[in-house]
Amino acid sequence: MKKQFLFTAMAVACLSVSGLAQTKGTSALSFGINSNTTKTTYSSAEVKNTTNNFSLGYGYFVKDNAKVGVDLSYGHGKYENLNNPSNTLKSYGGNVSYQKYYPLYKTLYAYAGGKVGYFSTKEASSITNNNAEQKFNSNQYSLGANGGITWFVSKRFALETSLLSADIVYSSTKQENTPSMGANYSSEWTNFNFSSQGLINNLSFKIYILF
């Protein structure tokens, strides 16, 4: 049986705003929760996979049609199987961005900007019957540019989607193994990648409350 719950919520104080929503001094807040649980029952075992991800974003219009923003994320997950290793995963990260908005038609705007980000994941798996454990620690640093469309629905709400992106990413991963017998061992590797994605290939969506 699979259960999936997706919820996006935002909360801000009710303050009066003068002028258009994207004018200097306006703040934008977004908050998201994504929770997913999958459970499968077999004749001899039950497999359960649970993931939870949380995000919080804040932006400030430093001048008309120009916004500086910060996005933070945290997630954790667990895979449980009576006959196989149990796995746990934790992740956190964030990015700082700058976006410039260009009017298209009435309250519909195009935007272009850049961002700098950091993301870390820690994954561990273990087999209880022989005390073996395996850990992966990863760190990722990114520098990118993106663009998309924003609809300022009202003074309080805005809808935004990202359509284009280009990113430079550097990541490093360390693996540590603790076998049931013998000495511990570890290994490390790094990766550098540049990628660009075309229209709609990197679609993402945000809802802002403006105040």
Side-chain angles (χ1 to χ4, degrees), residues 6-11 28-35 51-59 70-76 91-95 118-119 204-209:
L6 176 63
F7 174 71
T8 302
M10 289 150 260
L29 182 67
S30 65
F31 174 63
I33 300 175
N34 192 328
S35 180
T51 58
N52 295 284
N53 294 283
F54 309 90
S55 63
L56 177 65
Y58 174 77
V70 177
D71 291 282
L72 303 174
S73 64
Y74 171 77
H76 61 85
S91 63
Y92 63 89
N95 66 71
Y118 169 76
F119 194 74
S204 64
F205 183 74
K206 281 186 178 181
I207 302 175
Y208 291 111
I209 278 187

Side-chain angles (χ1 to χ4, degrees), residues 19-199:
L20 297 176
Q22 64 275 26
T23 54
K24 180 180 178 180
T26 299
S27 295
L29 182 67
S30 65
F31 174 63
I33 300 175
N34 192 328
S35 180
N36 183 59
T37 299
T38 303
K39 183 185 291 186
T40 305
T41 302
Y42 300 95
S43 58
S44 58
E46 181 181 87
V47 177
K48 184 178 180 181
N49 189 16
T50 303
T51 58
N52 295 284
N53 294 283
F54 309 90
S55 63
L56 177 65
Y58 174 77
Y60 182 78
F61 283 83
V62 292
K63 59 182 181 180
D64 291 357
N65 298 326
K67 177 168 66 70
V68 174
V70 177
D71 291 282
L72 303 174
S73 64
Y74 171 77
H76 61 85
K78 189 173 184 179
Y79 175 86
E80 300 172 278
N81 188 338
L82 296 178
N83 297 328
N84 288 292
S86 62
N87 295 274
T88 59
L89 175 68
K90 291 185 178 180
S91 63
Y92 63 89
N95 66 71
V96 178
S97 63
Y98 175 82
Q99 292 178 190
K100 178 68 176 177
Y101 293 84
Y102 304 92
L104 295 176
Y105 179 73
K106 293 185 177 181
T107 57
L108 190 65
Y109 282 69
Y111 75 85
K115 60 183 179 180
V116 178
Y118 169 76
F119 194 74
S120 175
T121 59
K122 299 180 183 296
E123 182 177 1
S125 61
S126 60
I127 305 176
T128 56
N129 59 0
N130 61 5
N131 296 320
E133 186 176 46
Q134 187 177 61
K135 295 181 179 180
F136 292 90
N137 296 322
S138 300
N139 295 287
Q140 178 177 289
Y141 306 87
S142 62
L143 174 64
N146 66 335
I149 300 295
T150 306
W151 177 27
F152 291 94
V153 182
S154 69
K155 294 180 180 180
R156 300 296 184 189
F157 295 98
L159 306 177
E160 184 170 278
T161 182
S162 175
L163 302 177
L164 298 165
S165 69
D167 298 282
I168 299 173
V169 179
Y170 171 81
S171 62
S172 63
T173 303
K174 182 177 182 180
Q175 176 184 352
E176 297 180 351
N177 293 70
T178 305
S180 57
M181 297 181 64
N184 299 349
Y185 68 94
S186 65
S187 59
E188 295 185 51
W189 62 93
T190 61
N191 180 58
F192 178 81
N193 181 54
F194 173 78
S195 65
S196 61
Q197 299 183 332
L199 187 66

